[in-house]
Structures are given as C-alpha cells and as structure tokens.
Amino acid sequence: QVQLVESGGGSVQAGGSLRLSCTASTYTSSIYCMAWFRQSPGKEREGVATIRNTGRTTYADSVKGRFTVSKDNAKNTLYLQMSSLKVEDTAMYYCAADPGICPLNPGSPQVAYNYWGQGAQVTVSS
C-alpha cells in the first residue's frame, strides 16, 4: 500500500504560478510511475503529466510548455510546477502512482492507477 498526500493547492490569478506537492509513504524511486490528473465539474478525469522511474515524462498537449512534473526522491515527493495558469486549468488535481503502468489517459484512471492522493483544488481567476 502507498499513501499519497497532496498539498499546495489554492487560488491564483490567470498568468500566475502554483506548485503542487504529493508526498508518498514509500520511496518514490521505487515507484514505476507517478502522475498528475485533474478533474473539473462535469468533465472526466484527465491526465496532466506522468513521470517514470527512468525520468521519462509525458504531458497533455494543453499544459505542455507551462507545467513541469518532477520528483525529489530524497523527499519522496512528486511535484507539479504550474505556470502561465489559465482559467481553464481550474480543477481538482490528483496525484497517482502505479507499479506497472504509466498511461496519460487510461480508459478509467481511478481503476487503472493503483494509488491516489486526496486531491488539491486549484482555482484560477481572470
């Protein structure tokens, strides 16, 4: 079992920046895949970014160039650095982890990924 605890959510103005953190109960260096998903009311949960234990990353086209996913294995923490935020980035952001898969958009994210954080609300105002 892996517990994931998120922090860093909040409200920012469009164009601003925010950094989300996700601290794991185990060594992040041993986790095959960690990822960020987001979900806004009326929409499906969508992949934002993934990072494998090799360091390979993937990003949704909508955030590429604005968001950066990274890990600090010494702190067992996953990060999502968000810049140039847009109103449409407003959502609940969830971190996830899995020992064997790393798709950005699986058919059912909550089923596909084994472990999930509690969510962090990000609200971007104009």
Side-chain angles (χ1 to χ4, degrees):
Q1 268 292 314
V2 178
Q3 284 75 52
L4 303 173
V5 180
E6 299 178 42
S7 63
S11 299
V12 297
Q13 293 191 88
S17 299
L18 202 63
R19 177 180 288 166
L20 301 180
S21 299
C22 173
T23 299
S25 63
T26 190
Y27 295 106
T28 52
S29 60
S30 71
I31 302 174
Y32 172 64
C33 177
M34 299 193 76
W36 290 99
F37 289 78
R38 66 186 182 185
Q39 188 168 24
S40 57
K43 297 180 65 177
E44 295 184 352
R45 190 168 296 189
E46 63 176 347
V48 177
T50 68
I51 182 166
R52 291 172 169 78
N53 58 5
T54 61
R56 179 183 175 186
T57 60
T58 59
Y59 295 91
D61 288 342
S62 60
V63 308
K64 193 173 296 183
R66 300 188 298 119
F67 290 12
T68 301
V69 62
S70 63
K71 292 190 297 180
D72 184 340
N73 288 328
K75 297 180 178 179
N76 295 328
T77 300
L78 173 75
Y79 300 99
L80 184 67
Q81 177 66 52
M82 303 179 289
S83 62
S84 301
L85 282 161
K86 305 175 180 180
V87 172
E88 48 263 50
D89 293 319
T90 295
M92 185 75 74
Y93 284 72
Y94 299 91
C95 66
D98 199 89
I101 64 164
C102 204
L104 187 62
N105 280 298
S108 182
Q110 294 98 313
V111 174
Y113 280 77
N114 281 187
Y115 307 107
W116 291 88
Q118 81 279 12
Q121 180 66 41
V122 173
T123 301
V124 184
S125 60
S126 61

